Amino acid sequence: MTTKSSTIKNEDLLALKSYITAADATQYNSLAATTLVLDLTHSNLHQRHAEIRFDKHDTVDCLRQKIHQKTGTAPHMQHLQLKTTAAPGGTIFYEISPETESDRKLGYYNLPLGANVHCVDIDPYSSSAGGAYENTALVEKYKMSDDEYDKRKGTLRDWGRQKKEENPDFSLMKHAKEHAQLVEARRFYKESGSVKEGFELDESSGLIIRVENEAFNDTQTENPKSDAEIEYGPESTQHLTLHDRCQVQPGSRRGEIAYIGTIDELGGGGHWVGVILDEPLGKTDGCVDSVRYFEAPGPNRGGFFRGKNVEGGDFPEIDIFASDSEDEL
């Protein structure tokens, strides 16, 4: 069996390693003569408790109590292995069974500084067995259905609905964008002392606030268009026809156009293209926040895309078993 060489060839990494390990040979020089520095490990746990300090006059019972405190294994269920190091390949030079006298001093074992005390948990009913203390995949996660979340009050979705009732043009994306602009304007003023265009300093509060430009608003229509509505207006999808075959980027995903129009629930404004994909490479089944725009045959067989990412034309469904090579069966 061959093993891969661990030799570092990168000069920068070598320099970094040299800097970090420069004091390794003298790291314990300032310790008292009776001080022990030990690494504690456990048979059921990945965690390693590094450089735990003891005194050579401390007893085995003191060591067991410390391991119990950090791992949960009772002292009478600990079989201790004393190793030269916690690294793989560390040599076991002594073993302390649960029956060993607890009042024996640690100095008796002639432990070197940096030695490893590995606890083998012999409890057949140990609560740490099987990754119970560390494997988060074993923890049952709380899951809330979309319908249950929709009924809750005080959520972001509920707040968005209330704002939508007050102002039909409100969208979470637009609100987030305006808030980010305000935060940036306040940061800019704090750092430079200058006020960005579109904002002003409120003398009463000392805060930067957004300027409501009445002269500008008077020239706008009752429902001014957002940036997304201008960029993704009806003309952004006029090259596409409902029920035509298409190809979507990125990924050259193929499918059939099932919807063209606005989607208020997405919050981005403008027009979208709903596509039933030939393969499960999408993120929806044609439904957005409980509102259905088209029916896809599976949970990942649909998607909503901007018109610029969709190309209509002769894009037949790809036969993954078809091959032009006579060398393949």
Side-chain angles (χ1 to χ4, degrees):
M1 179 179 177
T2 59
T3 57
K4 292 183 178 179
S5 172
S6 60
T7 303
I8 300 175
K9 298 181 179 180
N10 185 294
E11 292 185 2
D12 291 336
L13 288 179
L14 286 171
L16 178 61
K17 178 183 177 181
S18 177
Y19 173 78
I20 294 174
T21 61
D24 281 5
T26 59
Q27 62 178 321
Y28 300 128
N29 286 1
S30 60
L31 297 178
T34 59
T35 298
L36 288 174
V37 178
L38 306 175
D39 288 351
L40 307 181
T41 56
H42 193 276
S43 59
N44 292 342
L45 304 172
H46 293 293
Q47 61 186 246
R48 169 188 170 192
H49 302 280
E51 299 190 346
I52 306 301
R53 297 196 179 194
F54 296 90
D55 190 272
K56 290 181 179 180
H57 298 95
D58 290 335
T59 62
V60 171
D61 181 64
C62 177
L63 174 62
R64 291 189 189 279
Q65 291 297 335
K66 180 67 71 173
I67 293 173
H68 181 206
Q69 179 188 47
K70 293 185 175 296
T71 68
T73 300
H76 66 284
M77 289 295 179
Q78 299 175 11
H79 180 89
L80 305 181
Q81 297 176 340
L82 308 185
K83 299 183 179 183
T84 53
T85 175
T91 304
I92 299 175
F93 62 87
Y94 203 94
E95 299 197 39
I96 305 176
S97 67
E99 296 79 23
T100 302
E101 302 90 338
S102 296
D103 58 350
R104 181 173 291 180
K105 301 291 192 291
L106 295 182
Y108 169 83
Y109 299 101
N110 195 28
L111 289 161
L113 294 172
N116 170 225
V117 178
H118 182 69
C119 172
V120 179
D121 191 337
I122 62 174
D123 184 358
Y125 306 105
S126 175
S127 58
S128 64
Y133 284 179
E134 296 177 320
N135 189 356
T136 57
L138 300 177
V139 181
E140 185 178 354
K141 309 299 190 300
Y142 174 72
K143 296 181 179 179
M144 181 186 297
S145 67
D146 190 69
D147 290 339
E148 185 180 353
Y149 178 73
D150 197 56
K151 295 175 184 177
R152 288 207 168 195
K153 301 297 182 182
T155 63
L156 178 63
R157 184 181 296 177
D158 179 56
W159 179 78
R161 270 197 301 261
Q162 295 177 25
K163 291 295 183 180
K164 194 80 172 177
E165 291 174 359
E166 298 173 5
N167 177 13
D169 294 327
F170 174 84
S171 74
L172 288 173
M173 183 174 290
K174 179 182 177 182
H175 171 78
K177 181 179 179 181
E178 291 178 346
H179 179 71
Q181 291 172 344
L182 178 59
V183 171
E184 171 60 20
R186 288 177 175 175
R187 182 199 65 78
F188 183 77
Y189 174 74
K190 184 177 180 180
E191 293 183 354
S192 66
S194 301
V195 179
K196 279 196 168 188
E197 184 179 357
F199 297 88
E200 65 181 4
L201 179 63
D202 183 6
E203 299 294 343
S204 59
S205 64
L207 296 175
I208 294 295
I209 60 174
R210 189 180 298 276
V211 175
E212 294 298 334
N213 193 336
E214 296 182 1
F216 175 78
N217 290 337
D218 289 341
T219 64
Q220 302 300 303
T221 61
E222 294 182 0
N223 297 303
K225 292 185 177 180
S226 65
D227 293 341
E229 289 173 326
I230 295 173
E231 184 178 359
Y232 303 117
E235 62 279 0
S236 67
T237 59
Q238 64 183 6
H239 63 292
L240 303 170
T241 304
L242 203 60
H243 305 306
D244 274 5
R245 293 287 300 175
C246 68
Q247 181 167 272
V248 180
Q249 301 298 344
S252 298
R253 293 166 285 177
R254 295 188 177 186
E256 178 184 321
I257 298 173
Y259 176 81
I260 300 175
T262 60
I263 302 177
D264 294 336
E265 292 74 21
L266 289 181
H271 279 56
W272 296 83
V273 182
V275 178
I276 298 176
L277 299 168
D278 295 340
E279 298 180 71
L281 300 173
K283 297 182 179 180
T284 179
D285 63 351
C287 188
V288 181
D289 286 348
S290 303
V291 178
R292 182 160 296 283
Y293 287 88
F294 63 88
E295 190 78 39
N300 298 111
R301 288 287 301 279
F304 294 98
F305 310 93
R306 293 300 191 183
K308 66 179 183 179
N309 296 327
V310 183
E311 179 184 0
D314 183 18
F315 295 105
E317 186 172 353
I318 298 174
D319 184 357
I320 60 174
F321 296 105
S323 174
D324 294 332
S325 174
E326 297 179 354
D327 297 328
E328 297 182 11
L329 297 178

